Amino acid sequence: MFEWGYLTTAITDRPKTVYRLNGKEVARLSQHLDGHWIATLDQHLPWDWRRNRDCQSFESGQAGIEAWARRHADRLATEVAAIDAARPYRSWMPAGQKDEPR
């Protein structure tokens, strides 16, 4: 499930700029000092695989990211699932929320 969220929970007085799939960041909107917005796609991948796109506005950036995510939903779901599967077992989580050992 895709959803917009904050970059950090400590800063909630700004727009939601992080687009996540199942809790994993896949895209982000950033505002540069001159005021224009940039969309970073494939945020979950290594730095040199990410792509940046200039946006006309914050709203057009959000709409563009959502359209991109719909087009690439199958690929994104596969990649996010592989990232989750590669995570080490999280023994610190409360009972009932633990991932099963792989």
Side-chain angles (χ1 to χ4, degrees):
M1 170 180 174
F2 290 102
E3 64 182 351
W4 284 101
Y6 298 105
L7 182 59
T8 173
T9 56
I11 302 173
T12 58
D13 62 338
R14 296 186 182 152
K16 294 180 178 180
T17 58
V18 175
Y19 205 51
R20 293 184 176 100
L21 172 59
N22 299 328
K24 182 71 175 164
E25 183 177 351
V26 295
R28 178 186 299 185
L29 280 171
S30 304
Q31 188 174 28
H32 285 251
L33 293 176
D34 64 4
H36 82 276
W37 289 90
I38 299 278
T40 302
L41 309 175
D42 289 318
Q43 188 72 21
H44 61 294
L45 296 177
W47 182 260
D48 53 341
W49 293 8
R50 298 175 188 176
R51 294 172 290 140
N52 293 319
R53 300 289 185 258
D54 288 324
C55 305
Q56 299 268 332
S57 67
F58 175 78
E59 293 78 14
S60 70
Q62 277 193 319
I65 285 175
E66 290 170 359
W68 167 82
R70 281 191 301 273
R71 286 192 310 272
H72 296 274
D74 291 340
R75 175 181 65 86
L76 293 169
T78 300
E79 291 170 354
V80 167
I83 291 167
D84 286 343
R87 284 190 312 202
Y89 177 63
R90 296 177 288 171
S91 61
W92 53 267
M93 293 186 80
Q97 293 182 4
K98 293 181 183 178
D99 290 334
E100 293 300 318
R102 292 177 165 71

XYZ file of all heavy atoms in Angstrom:
841
model
N 0.835 -1.175 0.000
C 0.000 0.000 0.000
C 0.887 1.247 0.000
O 1.767 1.392 0.825
C -0.904 -0.017 1.231
C -1.638 1.243 1.448
S -2.665 1.096 2.917
C -3.236 2.742 2.988
N 0.635 2.128 -0.947
C 1.367 3.388 -1.038
C 0.738 4.419 -0.121
O -0.486 4.469 0.021
C 1.330 3.925 -2.470
C 2.142 3.126 -3.441
C 1.535 2.236 -4.311
C 3.516 3.274 -3.508
C 2.275 1.512 -5.225
C 4.271 2.548 -4.410
C 3.649 1.674 -5.273
N 1.589 5.254 0.488
C 1.071 6.344 1.316
C 2.110 7.450 1.434
O 3.314 7.197 1.388
C 0.697 5.840 2.709
C 1.866 5.315 3.520
C 1.461 4.769 4.869
O 0.297 4.937 5.257
O 2.318 4.174 5.527
N 1.621 8.660 1.584
C 2.480 9.809 1.819
C 2.765 9.929 3.305
O 1.896 9.665 4.127
C 1.819 11.098 1.325
C 1.868 11.231 -0.161
C 0.861 10.968 -1.036
C 2.982 11.639 -0.940
N 1.276 11.180 -2.313
C 2.590 11.604 -2.286
C 4.283 12.024 -0.636
C 3.457 11.945 -3.327
C 5.135 12.367 -1.672
C 4.722 12.325 -2.999
N 3.973 10.344 3.645
C 4.338 10.525 5.042
C 5.395 11.598 5.185
O 5.871 12.186 4.207
N 5.755 11.844 6.422
C 6.774 12.832 6.738
C 8.153 12.193 6.669
O 8.310 11.000 6.934
C 6.547 13.399 8.136
C 5.237 14.119 8.276
C 4.174 13.540 8.959
C 5.054 15.377 7.715
C 2.962 14.192 9.087
C 3.843 16.039 7.839
C 2.799 15.449 8.523
O 1.604 16.102 8.638
N 9.133 13.013 6.354
C 10.512 12.530 6.337
C 10.918 12.039 7.714
O 11.552 11.008 7.862
C 11.447 13.644 5.861
C 12.917 13.295 5.741
C 13.124 12.136 4.772
C 13.705 14.506 5.283
N 10.502 12.756 8.730
C 10.766 12.359 10.108
C 9.537 12.677 10.945
O 8.830 13.646 10.661
C 12.009 13.077 10.673
O 12.125 12.784 12.055
C 11.932 14.570 10.501
N 9.284 11.891 11.958
C 8.122 12.144 12.807
C 8.325 13.356 13.694
O 7.381 13.863 14.283
C 7.810 10.918 13.690
O 8.975 10.589 14.452
C 7.396 9.737 12.830
N 9.561 13.857 13.773
C 9.826 15.029 14.596
C 9.382 16.320 13.911
O 9.192 17.331 14.568
C 11.316 15.110 14.929
N 9.232 16.278 12.592
C 8.842 17.479 11.847
C 7.535 17.190 11.127
O 7.517 16.572 10.069
C 9.935 17.877 10.838
C 11.256 18.108 11.552
C 9.515 19.118 10.062
C 12.431 18.345 10.631
N 6.438 17.653 11.700
C 5.127 17.398 11.100
C 4.418 18.685 10.706
O 3.248 18.654 10.353
C 4.240 16.599 12.068
O 4.114 17.340 13.294
C 4.822 15.232 12.340
N 5.114 19.819 10.762
C 4.488 21.080 10.376
C 4.771 21.439 8.922
O 4.444 22.514 8.470
C 4.961 22.211 11.297
C 6.458 22.453 11.216
O 7.188 21.531 10.797
O 6.890 23.561 11.584
N 5.368 20.526 8.183
C 5.661 20.708 6.766
C 4.855 19.698 5.961
O 4.306 18.759 6.509
C 7.156 20.519 6.527
C 7.978 21.572 7.247
C 9.416 21.491 6.904
N 10.137 22.499 7.678
C 11.383 22.402 8.048
N 12.068 21.332 7.724
N 11.960 23.352 8.723
N 4.823 19.863 4.645
C 4.066 18.901 3.824
C 4.648 17.492 3.902
O 5.845 17.319 4.163
C 4.185 19.452 2.405
C 4.803 20.783 2.503
C 5.416 20.921 3.856
N 3.806 16.526 3.653
C 4.261 15.135 3.573
C 5.010 14.971 2.249
O 4.441 15.176 1.179
C 3.081 14.179 3.649
C 2.386 14.213 4.994
C 1.225 13.258 5.037
C 0.584 13.277 6.412
N -0.556 12.354 6.496
N 6.278 14.625 2.333
C 7.119 14.591 1.140
C 7.708 13.218 0.826
O 8.439 13.079 -0.145
C 8.287 15.591 1.291
O 9.029 15.252 2.466
C 7.790 17.023 1.369
N 7.402 12.229 1.619
C 7.976 10.891 1.420
C 6.859 9.935 1.002
O 5.816 9.858 1.653
C 8.658 10.395 2.717
C 9.150 8.980 2.559
C 9.802 11.321 3.089
N 7.078 9.220 -0.102
C 6.092 8.262 -0.595
C 6.612 6.872 -0.275
O 7.732 6.497 -0.650
C 5.902 8.437 -2.101
C 4.573 7.975 -2.613
C 3.383 8.389 -2.030
C 4.487 7.141 -3.715
C 2.162 7.976 -2.518
C 3.273 6.726 -4.224
C 2.110 7.151 -3.615
O 0.889 6.745 -4.104
N 5.815 6.103 0.456
C 6.242 4.789 0.930
C 5.331 3.689 0.399
O 4.138 3.893 0.211
C 6.210 4.758 2.462
C 7.235 5.665 3.104
C 7.225 5.521 4.625
N 8.262 6.324 5.233
C 8.045 7.508 5.793
N 6.823 8.003 5.858
N 9.047 8.193 6.322
N 5.931 2.532 0.221
C 5.205 1.311 -0.108
C 5.455 0.340 1.021
O 6.612 -0.028 1.282
C 5.694 0.730 -1.438
C 5.153 -0.648 -1.807
C 3.632 -0.635 -1.901
C 5.771 -1.144 -3.096
N 4.399 -0.038 1.722
C 4.511 -0.935 2.877
C 5.563 -0.457 3.869
O 6.349 -1.240 4.392
C 4.808 -2.367 2.424
C 3.720 -2.926 1.543
O 2.544 -2.579 1.702
N 4.077 -3.764 0.607
N 5.608 0.850 4.081
C 6.518 1.429 5.055
C 7.920 1.716 4.544
O 8.723 2.310 5.240
N 8.235 1.315 3.329
C 9.577 1.526 2.756
C 9.532 2.686 1.766
O 8.720 2.698 0.846
C 10.048 0.247 2.054
C 11.430 0.340 1.467
C 12.439 0.361 2.568
C 13.846 0.326 2.006
N 14.823 0.711 2.999
N 10.413 3.652 1.955
C 10.449 4.833 1.097
C 10.853 4.460 -0.326
O 11.880 3.832 -0.544
C 11.435 5.841 1.675
C 11.508 7.131 0.916
C 12.446 8.143 1.538
O 12.932 7.914 2.671
O 12.701 9.149 0.880
N 10.021 4.865 -1.302
C 10.336 4.602 -2.706
C 10.513 5.887 -3.509
O 11.088 5.862 -4.597
C 9.278 3.694 -3.375
C 9.288 2.303 -2.747
C 7.897 4.297 -3.322
N 10.016 7.017 -2.988
C 10.168 8.302 -3.671
C 10.113 9.420 -2.637
O 9.600 9.239 -1.527
C 9.093 8.495 -4.720
N 10.642 10.587 -3.052
C 10.685 11.720 -2.128
C 10.625 13.019 -2.911
O 11.172 13.123 -4.003
C 11.983 11.667 -1.333
C 12.172 12.822 -0.382
C 13.521 12.803 0.275
N 13.696 11.587 1.061
C 14.756 11.356 1.813
N 15.731 12.223 1.881
N 14.845 10.240 2.500
N 9.973 14.017 -2.337
C 9.982 15.377 -2.869
C 10.897 16.225 -2.008
O 10.820 16.171 -0.781
C 8.571 15.973 -2.848
C 7.650 15.562 -3.982
C 6.229 16.054 -3.708
C 8.147 16.104 -5.303
N 11.752 17.007 -2.638
C 12.664 17.896 -1.927
C 12.534 19.289 -2.521
O 12.447 19.443 -3.738
C 14.115 17.440 -2.080
O 14.269 16.117 -1.654
N 12.549 20.300 -1.649
C 12.501 21.674 -2.120
C 13.891 22.277 -2.020
O 14.531 22.246 -0.973
C 11.508 22.495 -1.309
C 11.271 23.866 -1.884
C 10.176 24.622 -1.151
O 9.940 24.401 0.021
N 9.513 25.492 -1.873
N 14.363 22.828 -3.118
C 15.687 23.443 -3.151
C 15.610 24.880 -2.653
O 14.531 25.449 -2.513
C 16.264 23.355 -4.562
C 16.720 21.968 -4.879
N 18.036 21.631 -4.982
C 16.026 20.812 -5.074
C 18.148 20.337 -5.255
N 16.936 19.824 -5.308
N 16.756 25.456 -2.390
C 16.818 26.806 -1.831
C 16.130 27.842 -2.710
O 15.583 28.819 -2.208
C 18.276 27.214 -1.585
C 18.991 26.428 -0.492
C 20.451 26.844 -0.415
C 18.307 26.609 0.844
N 16.139 27.633 -4.017
C 15.483 28.592 -4.908
C 13.973 28.378 -4.989
O 13.278 29.078 -5.698
C 16.099 28.557 -6.300
C 15.903 27.224 -7.007
O 15.235 26.331 -6.464
O 16.442 27.075 -8.126
N 13.454 27.380 -4.249
C 12.012 27.169 -4.152
C 11.447 26.097 -5.055
O 10.298 25.697 -4.872
N 12.195 25.636 -6.058
C 11.612 24.614 -6.931
C 11.719 23.232 -6.290
O 12.539 22.991 -5.421
C 12.225 24.660 -8.335
C 13.531 23.960 -8.485
N 14.736 24.546 -8.181
C 13.811 22.709 -8.921
C 15.713 23.686 -8.412
N 15.190 22.571 -8.856
N 10.842 22.339 -6.749
C 10.743 20.994 -6.179
C 11.391 19.977 -7.107
O 11.325 20.092 -8.326
C 9.274 20.625 -5.957
C 8.653 21.385 -4.846
C 7.999 22.585 -4.930
C 8.628 21.028 -3.468
N 7.581 22.979 -3.686
C 7.957 22.044 -2.769
C 9.130 19.949 -2.746
C 7.758 22.015 -1.402
C 8.928 19.913 -1.378
C 8.245 20.930 -0.718
N 11.987 18.967 -6.508
C 12.622 17.845 -7.215
C 12.017 16.555 -6.674
O 11.885 16.378 -5.459
C 14.142 17.809 -6.943
C 14.818 19.070 -7.433
C 14.778 16.566 -7.537
C 15.120 19.086 -8.893
N 11.642 15.654 -7.579
C 11.174 14.327 -7.188
C 12.338 13.348 -7.348
O 12.972 13.311 -8.404
C 10.013 13.889 -8.065
N 12.627 12.593 -6.305
C 13.632 11.535 -6.377
C 12.891 10.207 -6.413
O 12.134 9.887 -5.491
C 14.591 11.581 -5.170
O 15.213 12.866 -5.144
C 15.656 10.500 -5.279
N 13.091 9.464 -7.482
C 12.414 8.185 -7.693
C 13.366 7.035 -7.374
O 14.587 7.190 -7.464
C 11.942 8.080 -9.146
C 11.130 9.272 -9.666
C 10.832 9.103 -11.144
C 9.853 9.452 -8.861
N 12.813 5.899 -7.034
C 13.590 4.707 -6.668
C 14.468 4.986 -5.453
O 15.622 4.542 -5.371
C 14.434 4.200 -7.847
C 13.579 3.578 -8.931
O 12.639 2.831 -8.575
O 13.832 3.817 -10.121
N 13.915 5.676 -4.476
C 14.625 6.057 -3.259
C 15.109 4.835 -2.465
O 16.052 4.932 -1.694
C 13.699 6.923 -2.398
C 14.319 7.556 -1.208
C 15.270 8.695 -1.551
O 15.203 9.274 -2.615
N 16.153 9.005 -0.644
N 14.499 3.691 -2.662
C 14.860 2.471 -1.944
C 16.097 1.788 -2.534
O 16.638 0.868 -1.936
C 13.680 1.498 -1.962
C 13.277 1.085 -3.344
N 12.743 1.971 -4.250
C 13.363 -0.103 -3.977
C 12.498 1.340 -5.387
N 12.869 0.074 -5.246
N 16.534 2.231 -3.694
C 17.672 1.619 -4.377
C 18.967 2.367 -4.048
O 18.920 3.465 -3.498
C 17.430 1.634 -5.887
C 16.237 0.801 -6.374
C 16.070 0.956 -7.881
C 16.363 -0.652 -5.980
N 20.122 1.795 -4.397
C 21.385 2.490 -4.152
C 21.403 3.871 -4.828
O 20.723 4.107 -5.827
C 22.434 1.564 -4.790
C 21.792 0.214 -4.760
C 20.327 0.451 -4.952
N 22.215 4.742 -4.268
C 22.257 6.149 -4.672
C 22.381 6.326 -6.187
O 21.667 7.135 -6.785
C 23.433 6.822 -3.965
C 23.546 8.264 -4.264
C 24.393 8.852 -5.150
C 22.779 9.322 -3.689
N 24.207 10.210 -5.151
C 23.222 10.523 -4.264
C 21.764 9.372 -2.735
C 22.687 11.756 -3.928
C 21.239 10.607 -2.404
C 21.697 11.772 -2.997
N 23.258 5.609 -6.835
C 23.503 5.832 -8.261
C 22.409 5.262 -9.167
O 22.441 5.475 -10.376
C 24.880 5.306 -8.678
C 25.102 3.863 -8.293
O 24.396 3.351 -7.411
O 26.007 3.233 -8.877
N 21.428 4.579 -8.614
C 20.310 4.068 -9.397
C 19.086 4.980 -9.305
O 18.117 4.796 -10.029
C 19.918 2.679 -8.944
C 20.941 1.624 -9.224
C 22.223 1.801 -9.685
C 20.779 0.229 -9.055
N 22.865 0.609 -9.801
C 22.002 -0.392 -9.420
C 19.741 -0.570 -8.626
C 22.180 -1.759 -9.381
C 19.926 -1.937 -8.576
C 21.132 -2.531 -8.959
N 19.117 5.933 -8.397
C 17.982 6.838 -8.213
C 17.938 7.852 -9.354
O 18.945 8.177 -9.961
C 18.102 7.566 -6.879
C 18.072 6.610 -5.720
C 18.311 7.325 -4.414
N 18.472 6.342 -3.347
C 18.766 6.638 -2.121
N 18.944 7.905 -1.755
N 18.895 5.695 -1.213
N 16.718 8.354 -9.613
C 16.533 9.341 -10.676
C 15.836 10.562 -10.107
O 14.906 10.435 -9.313
C 15.703 8.738 -11.805
C 16.441 7.601 -12.491
C 15.574 6.876 -13.482
N 14.544 6.128 -12.735
C 13.283 6.028 -13.117
N 12.862 6.587 -14.211
N 12.414 5.343 -12.395
N 16.278 11.729 -10.524
C 15.669 12.982 -10.098
C 14.901 13.604 -11.252
O 15.356 13.548 -12.401
C 16.730 13.978 -9.607
C 17.387 13.516 -8.333
O 16.728 13.003 -7.437
N 18.688 13.681 -8.239
N 13.754 14.190 -10.921
C 12.918 14.861 -11.912
C 12.509 16.223 -11.366
O 12.051 16.331 -10.221
C 11.647 14.053 -12.216
C 11.912 12.661 -12.760
C 12.452 12.750 -14.191
N 12.598 11.449 -14.781
C 13.749 10.798 -14.910
N 14.857 11.318 -14.438
N 13.810 9.632 -15.501
N 12.663 17.268 -12.181
C 12.193 18.595 -11.796
C 10.671 18.607 -11.809
O 10.040 17.965 -12.652
C 12.707 19.659 -12.766
C 14.189 19.929 -12.600
O 14.675 19.886 -11.456
O 14.852 20.174 -13.618
N 10.089 19.363 -10.885
C 8.630 19.460 -10.766
C 8.200 20.916 -10.958
O 8.902 21.835 -10.531
C 8.163 18.986 -9.392
S 8.716 17.323 -8.973
N 7.058 21.121 -11.552
C 6.501 22.463 -11.736
C 6.060 23.058 -10.402
O 6.136 24.255 -10.202
C 5.302 22.409 -12.689
C 5.646 21.906 -14.067
C 5.989 23.041 -14.995
O 5.503 24.142 -14.822
N 6.829 22.765 -15.969
N 5.574 22.192 -9.505
C 5.086 22.617 -8.192
C 5.076 21.411 -7.259
O 5.292 20.276 -7.699
C 3.661 23.182 -8.307
O 2.753 22.153 -8.673
N 4.788 21.659 -5.997
C 4.667 20.563 -5.032
C 3.557 19.602 -5.461
O 3.740 18.388 -5.479
C 4.389 21.119 -3.634
C 4.135 20.065 -2.608
C 5.180 19.355 -2.055
C 2.838 19.768 -2.196
C 4.959 18.365 -1.113
C 2.600 18.788 -1.247
C 3.663 18.088 -0.709
N 2.409 20.170 -5.838
C 1.251 19.347 -6.217
C 1.536 18.508 -7.459
O 1.168 17.340 -7.529
C 0.018 20.224 -6.433
C -0.499 20.892 -5.175
C 0.309 22.119 -4.732
O 1.135 22.647 -5.535
O 0.126 22.540 -3.581
N 2.191 19.116 -8.453
C 2.498 18.342 -9.661
C 3.545 17.269 -9.352
O 3.529 16.199 -9.961
C 2.970 19.250 -10.794
O 4.252 19.777 -10.534
N 4.441 17.548 -8.403
C 5.413 16.545 -7.989
C 4.743 15.352 -7.338
O 5.071 14.197 -7.630
N 3.785 15.623 -6.452
C 3.043 14.521 -5.821
C 2.285 13.712 -6.867
O 2.324 12.484 -6.852
C 2.065 15.056 -4.778
C 2.690 15.334 -3.443
C 1.640 15.548 -2.365
O 0.624 16.203 -2.584
N 1.903 15.005 -1.209
N 1.608 14.406 -7.769
C 0.841 13.705 -8.805
C 1.768 12.878 -9.696
O 1.434 11.743 -10.065
C 0.048 14.708 -9.635
N 2.925 13.427 -10.039
C 3.881 12.689 -10.869
C 4.421 11.454 -10.176
O 4.543 10.391 -10.791
N 4.733 11.579 -8.896
C 5.219 10.422 -8.131
C 4.140 9.349 -8.051
O 4.415 8.157 -8.230
C 5.696 10.850 -6.734
C 7.051 11.565 -6.845
C 5.788 9.655 -5.786
C 7.565 12.146 -5.550
N 2.905 9.754 -7.796
C 1.820 8.773 -7.708
C 1.612 8.060 -9.041
O 1.404 6.836 -9.067
C 0.549 9.462 -7.234
C 0.622 9.887 -5.787
C -0.520 10.788 -5.348
O -1.399 11.113 -6.190
O -0.541 11.177 -4.161
N 1.675 8.790 -10.158
C 1.528 8.174 -11.475
C 2.694 7.222 -11.760
O 2.493 6.107 -12.270
C 1.454 9.253 -12.558
N 3.909 7.644 -11.425
C 5.091 6.781 -11.594
C 4.934 5.500 -10.779
O 5.209 4.397 -11.269
C 6.340 7.557 -11.168
C 7.552 6.708 -11.009
C 8.388 6.274 -11.995
C 8.067 6.175 -9.779
N 9.398 5.511 -11.452
C 9.222 5.434 -10.095
C 7.668 6.264 -8.456
C 9.969 4.785 -9.125
C 8.420 5.618 -7.494
C 9.551 4.890 -7.832
N 4.488 5.630 -9.526
C 4.338 4.460 -8.652
C 3.285 3.497 -9.195
O 3.467 2.275 -9.117
C 3.986 4.903 -7.237
N 2.195 4.017 -9.749
C 1.177 3.136 -10.347
C 1.769 2.362 -11.527
O 1.525 1.163 -11.670
C -0.041 3.941 -10.796
C -0.980 4.324 -9.682
C -2.293 4.882 -10.206
N -2.125 6.060 -11.042
C -2.053 7.315 -10.580
N -2.120 7.543 -9.282
N -1.918 8.326 -11.420
N 2.541 3.048 -12.360
C 3.144 2.384 -13.528
C 4.151 1.314 -13.127
O 4.318 0.315 -13.824
C 3.832 3.413 -14.434
C 2.897 4.269 -15.240
C 3.641 5.050 -16.324
N 4.811 5.767 -15.856
C 4.817 7.010 -15.369
N 3.685 7.677 -15.255
N 5.948 7.581 -15.001
N 4.843 1.527 -12.027
C 5.922 0.624 -11.611
C 5.559 -0.195 -10.364
O 6.442 -0.729 -9.709
C 7.193 1.439 -11.335
C 7.720 2.120 -12.553
N 8.569 1.509 -13.437
C 7.485 3.366 -13.055
C 8.863 2.341 -14.421
N 8.212 3.479 -14.217
N 4.278 -0.294 -10.055
C 3.831 -0.925 -8.810
C 4.338 -2.360 -8.658
O 4.798 -2.736 -7.575
C 2.313 -0.884 -8.706
N 4.278 -3.149 -9.712
C 4.721 -4.544 -9.611
C 6.219 -4.624 -9.312
O 6.654 -5.374 -8.431
C 4.405 -5.318 -10.890
C 2.915 -5.533 -11.090
O 2.156 -5.443 -10.101
O 2.513 -5.780 -12.248
N 7.017 -3.854 -10.041
C 8.464 -3.846 -9.809
C 8.791 -3.351 -8.402
O 9.602 -3.949 -7.692
C 9.167 -2.961 -10.838
C 10.666 -2.816 -10.561
C 11.354 -1.911 -11.566
N 10.912 -0.540 -11.523
C 11.406 0.401 -10.696
N 12.345 0.094 -9.813
N 10.967 1.649 -10.744
N 8.147 -2.278 -7.983
C 8.407 -1.721 -6.658
C 8.049 -2.725 -5.564
O 8.801 -2.899 -4.604
C 7.638 -0.415 -6.462
C 8.100 0.748 -7.337
C 7.104 1.902 -7.251
C 9.494 1.200 -6.943
N 6.910 -3.395 -5.717
C 6.493 -4.390 -4.713
C 7.509 -5.523 -4.620
O 7.853 -5.975 -3.518
C 5.107 -4.931 -5.055
N 8.012 -5.984 -5.761
C 9.014 -7.056 -5.772
C 10.303 -6.609 -5.098
O 10.876 -7.336 -4.274
C 9.297 -7.502 -7.220
O 8.079 -7.976 -7.793
C 10.351 -8.580 -7.279
N 10.764 -5.397 -5.412
C 12.012 -4.904 -4.841
C 11.900 -4.648 -3.341
O 12.804 -4.987 -2.575
C 12.450 -3.627 -5.568
C 12.890 -3.893 -6.984
C 13.099 -2.648 -7.815
O 12.802 -1.525 -7.334
O 13.566 -2.796 -8.963
N 10.777 -4.072 -2.911
C 10.573 -3.816 -1.477
C 10.483 -5.130 -0.713
O 11.048 -5.272 0.370
C 9.338 -2.916 -1.247
C 8.925 -2.902 0.210
C 9.622 -1.504 -1.740
N 9.802 -6.119 -1.276
C 9.711 -7.432 -0.625
C 11.093 -8.072 -0.502
O 11.417 -8.683 0.527
C 8.772 -8.344 -1.402
N 11.931 -7.931 -1.517
C 13.280 -8.493 -1.459
C 14.120 -7.787 -0.393
O 14.889 -8.429 0.321
C 13.950 -8.379 -2.826
N 13.960 -6.480 -0.272
C 14.679 -5.738 0.766
C 14.236 -6.201 2.144
O 15.050 -6.433 3.033
C 14.473 -4.221 0.584
C 15.194 -3.741 -0.682
C 14.955 -3.449 1.804
C 14.815 -2.343 -1.124
N 12.925 -6.347 2.324
C 12.402 -6.821 3.611
C 12.891 -8.232 3.928
O 13.236 -8.536 5.070
C 10.874 -6.789 3.621
C 10.317 -5.383 3.739
O 11.069 -4.462 4.134
O 9.129 -5.205 3.441
N 12.931 -9.087 2.923
C 13.360 -10.472 3.140
C 14.841 -10.554 3.513
O 15.247 -11.476 4.222
C 13.094 -11.304 1.889
N 15.618 -9.605 3.058
C 17.057 -9.617 3.328
C 17.404 -9.037 4.693
O 18.537 -9.169 5.146
C 17.797 -8.842 2.236
N 16.431 -8.411 5.366
C 16.707 -7.828 6.687
C 16.975 -8.926 7.691
O 16.339 -9.987 7.655
C 15.503 -7.016 7.178
C 15.361 -5.695 6.523
C 14.330 -4.872 7.214
N 13.107 -5.641 7.433
C 11.923 -5.108 7.629
N 11.786 -3.820 7.642
N 10.876 -5.858 7.826
N 17.881 -8.669 8.616
C 18.116 -9.673 9.661
C 16.893 -9.798 10.572
O 16.075 -8.886 10.659
C 19.320 -9.122 10.419
C 19.405 -7.690 10.068
C 18.729 -7.514 8.738
N 16.807 -10.918 11.214
C 15.722 -11.184 12.155
C 15.722 -10.129 13.253
O 16.768 -9.807 13.820
C 15.900 -12.583 12.751
C 14.886 -12.949 13.791
C 13.543 -13.035 13.473
C 15.275 -13.226 15.091
C 12.607 -13.384 14.424
C 14.358 -13.581 16.055
C 13.024 -13.657 15.713
O 12.096 -13.999 16.657
N 14.559 -9.583 13.548
C 14.468 -8.506 14.541
C 13.965 -9.053 15.874
O 12.790 -9.025 16.170
C 13.547 -7.415 14.020
C 14.120 -6.756 12.771
C 13.205 -5.732 12.212
N 12.071 -6.418 11.599
C 10.990 -5.812 11.163
N 10.855 -4.527 11.262
N 10.009 -6.485 10.622
N 14.864 -9.527 16.691
C 14.482 -10.134 17.965
C 14.024 -9.117 18.995
O 13.426 -9.478 19.995
C 15.658 -10.942 18.523
O 16.748 -10.091 18.755
N 14.278 -7.838 18.762
C 13.905 -6.809 19.724
C 12.434 -6.447 19.655
O 11.919 -5.759 20.509
C 14.744 -5.545 19.500
C 14.691 -5.069 18.084
C 15.563 -5.391 17.090
C 13.713 -4.220 17.493
N 15.198 -4.785 15.910
C 14.054 -4.063 16.134
C 12.570 -3.584 17.964
C 13.304 -3.284 15.258
C 11.826 -2.814 17.086
C 12.200 -2.667 15.756
N 11.718 -6.921 18.634
C 10.311 -6.550 18.486
C 9.448 -7.312 19.494
O 9.750 -8.443 19.842
C 9.828 -6.835 17.072
C 10.495 -5.946 16.050
S 9.810 -6.173 14.420
C 8.342 -5.199 14.567
N 8.364 -6.687 19.948
C 7.453 -7.369 20.872
C 6.853 -8.637 20.269
O 6.730 -8.756 19.060
C 6.360 -6.331 21.124
C 6.912 -5.029 20.665
C 7.945 -5.341 19.619
N 6.474 -9.545 21.122
C 5.858 -10.795 20.680
C 4.631 -10.478 19.826
O 3.904 -9.539 20.108
C 5.465 -11.647 21.875
N 4.430 -11.256 18.800
C 3.305 -11.044 17.902
C 3.638 -10.114 16.748
O 2.892 -10.033 15.786
N 4.744 -9.391 16.819
C 5.146 -8.501 15.749
C 6.455 -8.951 15.101
O 6.948 -8.320 14.200
C 5.326 -7.081 16.259
C 4.046 -6.434 16.708
C 4.261 -5.005 17.160
O 5.357 -4.467 17.066
N 3.220 -4.398 17.670
N 7.007 -10.032 15.578
C 8.294 -10.487 15.058
C 8.128 -11.081 13.679
O 7.153 -11.749 13.387
C 8.907 -11.532 15.981
C 9.320 -11.003 17.318
C 9.932 -12.097 18.157
C 10.270 -11.556 19.537
N 10.812 -12.587 20.391
N 9.115 -10.810 12.844
C 9.188 -11.517 11.572
C 9.659 -12.926 11.857
O 10.447 -13.145 12.771
C 10.193 -10.850 10.635
C 9.698 -9.504 10.134
O 8.492 -9.284 10.077
O 10.573 -8.708 9.759
N 9.198 -13.852 11.103
C 9.666 -15.219 11.267
C 11.098 -15.307 10.759
O 11.468 -14.655 9.798
C 8.777 -16.181 10.459
C 7.365 -16.269 11.017
C 7.331 -16.773 12.441
O 8.064 -17.719 12.766
O 6.570 -16.217 13.244
N 11.948 -16.106 11.416
C 13.327 -16.264 10.938
C 13.317 -16.831 9.528
O 12.491 -17.645 9.180
C 13.955 -17.250 11.918
C 12.992 -17.420 13.031
C 11.669 -16.892 12.590
N 14.271 -16.376 8.766
C 14.355 -16.838 7.372
C 15.570 -17.685 7.193
O 16.552 -17.572 7.758
C 14.399 -15.643 6.436
C 13.060 -14.894 6.456
C 13.171 -13.659 5.569
N 11.917 -13.068 5.243
C 11.133 -12.400 6.072
N 11.438 -12.283 7.308
N 10.017 -11.869 5.661
